[in-house]
Amino acid sequence: DINQAEATEMVSRLLISRPGLLYNILTGGENLFSYQIAKIALLTKRDFTLDISSRGGAKTYTAAVFALMYAITHPGIKILVLGPTLRQAKTLLNYIMDISKKPNAYLLRQFLTEKNYKKDPDRYSIKVGTGTFGPESEIFAMALGDGKKIRGARAQVIILDEAFAIPQNIIDEVIG
């Protein structure tokens, strides 16, 4: 016999360990490429991961899928997406909304609706979840700039999109 919390945790661990299956379930039959599944599996197992892929290698899209899956399987988590500009950082959130608009993504739309997407001048965010099986997760994007705008922002997971464009001293002093 297990209780609701234990069952939720067990299913969460199973699904995050099988990113291809979870994506297929959430999108109603869509599939990821095998290299994307491998990248997402690696992102869930390591604290610090650097993805160096060619142009068009689906780095941002794969990071978006990872962030979405992680937010669903870890209720209450905060994921911060940083980019050199807000335009670049919000691209990842736009991919998440595009995935939710896929015709057969009925299950995903239970976790994510258009009203969950919020745009502020300095921050874009998506609330993921319904609060039924735990607190809502949040994925939010901010521009890094000189590092002053993100001071005070707290998250358990940080995704640096276009990290090569971020000065090393900002990574060491502000993000670290």
Side-chain angles (χ1 to χ4, degrees):
D1 290 333
I2 60 174
N3 62 33
Q4 180 73 33
E6 292 169 331
T8 302
E9 174 68 23
M10 189 183 312
V11 170
S12 175
R13 280 184 292 154
L14 170 70
L15 291 175
I16 199 65
S17 70
R18 303 281 187 257
L21 173 63
L22 179 55
Y23 185 80
N24 186 281
I25 291 169
L26 290 173
T27 59
E30 297 266 332
N31 292 312
L32 293 170
F33 291 106
S34 55
Y35 75 92
Q36 290 174 305
I37 294 169
K39 283 182 184 183
I40 293 168
L42 182 64
L43 289 169
T44 62
K45 289 177 177 46
R46 299 283 182 223
D47 285 340
F48 300 100
T49 306
L50 179 63
D51 182 359
I52 302 174
S53 300
S54 66
R55 185 179 186 109
K59 296 176 292 294
T60 303
Y61 186 84
T62 304
V65 172
F66 161 75
L68 179 59
M69 290 180 180
Y70 205 80
I72 290 171
T73 58
H74 295 79
I77 197 142
K78 290 189 177 206
I79 300 173
L80 172 58
V81 180
L82 291 173
T85 65
L86 184 58
R87 179 176 175 226
Q88 180 60 39
K90 74 177 182 172
T91 301
L92 193 140
L93 273 64
N94 290 337
Y95 280 138
I96 291 172
M97 291 308 296
D98 290 346
I99 293 167
S100 74
K101 292 176 184 172
K102 291 181 180 284
N104 294 327
Y106 304 112
L107 182 61
L108 179 55
R109 285 192 287 274
Q110 301 299 311
F111 294 97
L112 187 65
T113 62
E114 192 70 40
K115 69 178 180 69
N116 294 43
Y117 192 75
K118 185 177 176 187
K119 299 176 185 178
D120 291 330
D122 294 331
R123 175 180 167 145
Y124 283 53
S125 66
I126 296 176
K127 296 278 187 180
V128 179
T130 60
T132 305
F133 296 109
E136 290 181 325
S137 297
E138 182 181 14
I139 304 169
F140 60 104
M142 298 177 76
L144 188 58
D146 61 0
K148 291 179 183 170
K149 288 185 179 184
I150 67 161
R151 289 197 186 276
R154 298 287 180 253
Q156 291 89 358
V157 177
I158 298 175
I159 297 173
L160 297 176
D161 202 13
E162 303 291 341
F164 70 89
I166 300 171
Q168 187 63 41
N169 68 321
I170 298 286
I171 291 173
D172 294 339
E173 297 168 12
V174 180
I175 297 169

